[in-house]
Amino acid sequence: MAATKRKRRGGLAVPAKRPRKSGKDARPPAKPRDKAEEAEEEDRNRIPGPVCKGKWKNKERILIFSSRGINFRTRHLMQDLRMLMPHSKADTKMDRKDKLFVINEVCEMKNCNKCIYFEAKKKQDLYMWLSNSPHGPSAKFLVQNIHTLAELKMTGNCLKGSRPLLSFDPAFDELPHYALLKELLIQIFSTPRYHPKSQPFVDHVFTFTVLDNRIWFRNFQIIEEDAALVEIGPRFVLNLIKIFQGSFGGPTLYENPHYQSPNM
Amino acid sequence: MGLGLPGPLVGAARACCEMDTPLPSGSDSDSEESLVTDRELQDAFSRGLLKPGLNVVLEGPKKAVNDVNGLKQCLAEFKRDLEWVERLDVTLGPVPEISGPQSTPQNKDQKAVDPEDDFQREMSFYRQAQAAVLAVLPRLHQLKVPTKRPTDYFAEMAKSDQQMQKIRQKLQAKQATMEKSEKAKQLRALRKYGKKVQTEVLQKRQREKAHMMNAIKKYQKGFSDKLDFLDGDQKPVARGSKEGAKGQQTKKGPNAKRRYKNQKFGFGGKKKGSKWNTRESYDDVSSFRAKKAHGKGLKRPGKKGSNKRPGKQTREKMKSRAR
């Protein structure tokens, strides 16, 4: 990855990695500046640690990992998601022979309360589990049409770890299973405010649209205030298979009648 | 011996008598068992429900689980009442299209996006994002959440600078190739047009030259006295003096008919014209030979005198006489 650019403001020497750690009180106080963004800076988590920590309330942590046997595209997609979501944690590949409820224990060990698990079967099909770890609902999807961040047709760019705006189709409010999925997606994909690794600006928007009985995901960069957008990527299509009441198990709450297994 | 009923009916009758438990319902597809018992089969046969052929128990269409109450309950338990500023979510349809007839906005809203049409689909996603952004930005400004990144704020971006360079280069290359192809197309069109113009000019020149030559020839032969086709030619001066010397006799020149024929058929001159069917030629009998006309004459001198050979009988007589 490219080196981080240092902030050009005098008096605030920023290290290249993880600039927003709590050891900032030791730094010399900033010179009085009459720039417009000073007010913004106070809001952000560049302010001394304890205050920042105190402000961060929404303790969501997402565990993003995969099974063995994924291909390069899936791996890149996973890395892209980890980059876009600063509240995510990575883990090593899980053996497919283990049962799925083992994942709950892994989540607990990592102190995560949500999980995105990529499962690759037959080196072709990619399944994605979205789950709320201890008790909550979980959903299994078939992922199609993956395009990663690295594709040259995606020309936009955004701050790493900036908070996204989430945009949903009105179809998400119509059916109960979509409403549940919407809540799950909101809790997973929205970056908590004042998260230590996040950036304060809202400069990109995730869109989730229901079309053709699938959920389409797009990521756009907001260039202008008049809503001129450019696609950043990644993009994928989720085909819902089942919704379970428990995490990676439990009674089936919903089964998608339009879903056809790719093996058939 | 006693009963005259055929076999299966006997069996069915016996089955009816022997039964004291109620039969299960005729539709067995919902039951857990996949096998239908003999008794049920017999009963169904007696009622005429079974058709000839192999009867296979069909499973009904598999019903997808849709536990609406369970879903709602789960949602109620799972929902976290966070402030909007934590979630930053918006549920809005796409921005309505500007283009197209404005008279039927309702039709446009109801028109479903065809998922196979890539451009339309991506445009609908784009417009949905636009609607969300337009709705949310004022709200964010109210809540003092910054949306615009200041120009001197440098931080790590999702895509590295190297990646952005690659993207920029690709875009530039694409633009350059497009421009080149446009230029090439224009040049080709220009060349075609230029060629057309050139041929037209050449043809025009050829025509004019031919016209001029004709006019000059006419002049030379003296059939035309119009000089306005020429621009600064010497001929008219010379011509005029010659005409004056000759006099008016030959001013007319050949006959009008002759002139017309000359103009039409050119100045090649007359053909032999020796034989004409006129009164003179009709009256001329100088080449008349009477003897030839009457079939006599033209006595040719014989070669050896008489070439006459007597006939066979005469010759034989001569022969016999000679012996």
Side-chain angles (χ1 to χ4, degrees), chain A:
Chain A
M1 292 288 286
T4 325
K5 293 231 166 64
R6 295 172 190 270
K7 288 192 63 71
R8 274 203 205 135
R9 298 202 181 102
L12 240 186
V14 175
K17 277 191 219 161
R18 303 288 186 261
R20 288 159 289 282
K21 282 298 183 197
S22 53
K24 263 178 237 139
D25 334 47
R27 296 216 179 83
K31 282 186 272 189
R33 283 165 265 131
D34 43 344
K35 287 175 188 152
E37 55 272 13
E38 192 166 54
E40 290 165 1
E41 258 200 320
E42 300 304 319
D43 273 341
R44 275 186 297 110
N45 23 27
R46 289 199 160 276
I47 49 181
V51 185
C52 169
K53 271 200 185 133
K55 276 194 175 176
W56 176 33
K57 293 261 179 354
N58 181 11
K59 302 284 169 76
E60 290 280 351
R61 287 182 196 86
I62 319 287
L63 181 67
I64 304 184
F65 71 119
S66 73
S67 71
R68 298 176 70 93
I70 54 174
N71 63 354
F72 67 97
R73 212 185 295 274
T74 314
R75 196 166 22 91
H76 278 100
L77 176 65
M78 204 167 60
Q79 283 172 358
D80 294 340
L81 283 179
R82 279 185 198 152
M83 182 155 47
L84 288 174
M85 306 207 287
H87 54 300
S88 65
K89 286 193 183 170
D91 196 23
T92 55
K93 291 183 197 164
M94 193 185 83
D95 217 2
R96 250 184 288 132
K97 287 183 223 129
D98 299 337
K99 304 284 180 194
L100 283 174
F101 56 75
V102 168
I103 301 181
N104 292 323
E105 295 171 8
V106 176
C107 285
E108 204 187 310
M109 279 201 302
K110 288 254 168 174
N111 195 15
C112 292
N113 55 359
K114 298 277 188 305
C115 174
I116 301 182
Y117 173 60
F118 289 100
E119 191 180 13
K121 286 233 174 100
K122 285 186 178 181
K123 296 199 178 174
Q124 304 170 347
D125 315 319
L126 178 67
Y127 297 97
M128 180 163 98
W129 288 86
L130 293 178
S131 152
N132 178 20
S133 182
H135 325 284
S138 54
K140 184 175 180 186
F141 299 92
L142 174 69
V143 188
Q144 294 165 319
N145 288 8
I146 301 174
H147 295 263
T148 57
L149 263 184
E151 296 203 354
L152 291 178
K153 294 226 168 117
M154 317 273 193
T155 48
N157 200 355
C158 68
L159 285 171
K160 180 172 173 184
S162 63
R163 300 187 61 212
L165 184 59
L166 303 172
S167 157
F168 290 92
D169 206 16
F172 274 99
D173 286 336
E174 287 168 16
L175 295 167
H177 60 273
Y178 280 138
L180 184 60
L181 280 180
K182 177 181 164 182
E183 187 60 32
L184 190 60
L185 290 169
I186 291 176
Q187 289 188 17
I188 287 180
F189 283 98
S190 61
T191 303
R193 205 179 184 196
Y194 306 123
H195 190 281
K197 290 187 205 166
S198 71
Q199 302 268 7
F201 304 103
V202 175
D203 65 351
H204 63 293
V205 48
F206 289 162
T207 48
F208 298 90
T209 318
V210 174
L211 191 63
D212 196 24
N213 299 310
R214 290 171 173 82
I215 300 179
W216 301 69
F217 172 85
R218 297 283 182 272
N219 180 12
F220 293 101
Q221 176 196 6
I222 304 171
I223 306 180
E224 292 290 329
E225 297 283 309
D226 64 347
L229 304 171
V230 161
E231 186 156 2
I232 310 171
R235 40 154 97 167
F236 48 87
V237 177
L238 298 175
N239 198 352
L240 174 65
I241 304 175
K242 279 191 184 180
I243 303 183
F244 300 98
Q245 192 177 12
S247 168
F248 294 101
T252 309
L253 286 176
Y254 180 78
E255 194 180 323
N256 187 6
H258 305 280
Y259 167 71
Q260 249 205 342
S261 168
N263 300 324
M264 285 211 279

